[in-house]
Amino acid sequence: EIGCGCGAVTGTLCRKAGRVDAVEISPRRAEIAAYRNQSCGNLTIYVGNLNDLALGRKYDVVTLIGVLEYAGTFTHTAQPYHDFLAQCRSFLKPGGRLVIAIENRLGMKYWSGAHEDHTGRRFDGILDYPRGGDIRTFSRNELVQLLAGAGLSAQSWYYPFPDYKFPFELHSDRMLPRPDEIRGFANATYDADRYELFPETEALASVAAAGLYPEFANSFLVVCSEQ
């Protein structure tokens, strides 16, 4: 588990897996994660930058839950997102899978007026981060190409609804939602007040009817591998 933060997902991983190695760059967050999951005897937490760690093993599954967008802050190369993903791929066993959860910079909630989750500015991702910075998310097509360029060409795409932080449903390319399954849903926000310039889920139902739901889903969950 790369970037375990305060351990919100770690306990579930420990219940599902025989062994979990978690990496967290923040000592304080790592301490919280360790305390929160102190009953998990199959957990080891490493504190530091993944790019500087020699873990000496490969894994069946590597997770990046809300982490890829920060790669530019701790991977100091000309292509930080590509190079970080390539580093993650190097930890996979043959047939191993990388699981990524990340916001869609073109998600419908941002068009409707929600602030960008990381910069706090409205329309920032839609405008492709005009102020620059080291934190960014990606559209579906951008992420498809980024993963493929890092050697992760086998991809299964899922769409947590309304987003990956508090999902009520999980859709996929094999089972996209019908417009009537989306329309009228109240997408609550928990971290800040927001504008709603138009009925978000009504618009999302409209693009679903047009066959464009994957392009405007608020979040992505991608399971990928080398082949």
Side-chain angles (χ1 to χ4, degrees):
E1 183 188 14
I2 299 172
C4 69
C6 294
V9 180
T10 308
T12 298
L13 295 177
C14 288
R15 290 190 293 273
K16 298 290 185 179
R19 174 195 179 107
V20 175
D21 288 348
V23 178
E24 173 52 45
I25 199 169
S26 163
R28 181 59 174 159
R29 290 186 178 186
E31 183 180 8
I32 294 170
Y35 183 82
R36 185 176 188 174
N37 298 286
Q38 58 187 298
S39 63
C40 298
N42 58 343
L43 171 65
T44 302
I45 299 178
Y46 296 86
V47 182
N49 188 330
L50 177 75
N51 298 306
D52 301 327
L53 296 177
L55 298 179
R57 61 175 59 91
K58 294 182 180 289
Y59 300 88
D60 299 300
V61 178
V62 173
T63 67
L64 292 176
I65 310 300
V67 174
L68 176 59
E69 56 267 41
Y70 294 100
T73 67
F74 57 80
T75 304
H76 305 295
T77 65
Q79 296 180 296
Y81 301 98
H82 170 280
D83 295 342
F84 176 62
L85 285 169
Q87 173 78 332
C88 295
R89 178 172 60 84
S90 72
F91 287 106
L92 294 175
K93 292 180 179 178
R97 293 166 294 170
L98 178 66
V99 179
I100 301 171
I102 189 172
E103 296 84 356
N104 174 12
R105 74 174 182 86
L106 300 180
M108 185 59 70
K109 70 179 184 180
Y110 300 125
W111 296 91
S112 178
H115 63 269
E116 206 280 345
D117 290 63
H118 310 94
T119 68
R121 296 188 288 266
R122 279 182 289 277
F123 311 120
D124 214 19
I126 292 172
L127 297 175
D128 202 18
Y129 302 96
R131 301 188 190 183
D134 296 324
I135 302 173
R136 62 170 299 122
T137 57
F138 306 92
S139 68
R140 187 186 189 284
N141 189 53
E142 288 169 336
L143 191 52
V144 165
Q145 296 185 49
L146 181 62
L147 292 170
L152 297 160
S153 56
Q155 303 168 14
S156 297
W157 283 76
Y158 302 88
Y159 310 100
F161 177 80
D163 60 34
Y164 83 84
K165 296 183 181 71
F166 294 98
F168 287 86
E169 296 179 354
L170 184 65
H171 307 127
S172 73
D173 287 331
R174 292 177 296 174
M175 184 63 73
L176 292 173
R178 301 188 312 270
D180 62 282
E181 293 176 312
I182 303 172
R183 188 174 287 111
F185 180 87
N187 188 8
T189 56
Y190 300 98
D191 59 339
D193 293 334
R194 57 160 288 188
Y195 292 110
E196 188 175 31
L197 304 179
F198 53 79
E200 177 188 326
T201 54
E202 296 289 327
L204 198 54
S206 176
V207 301
L212 297 172
Y213 180 81
E215 308 302 325
F216 291 95
N218 289 325
S219 294
F220 303 130
L221 179 68
V222 191
V223 181
C224 49
S225 60
E226 294 180 341
Q227 54 185 341

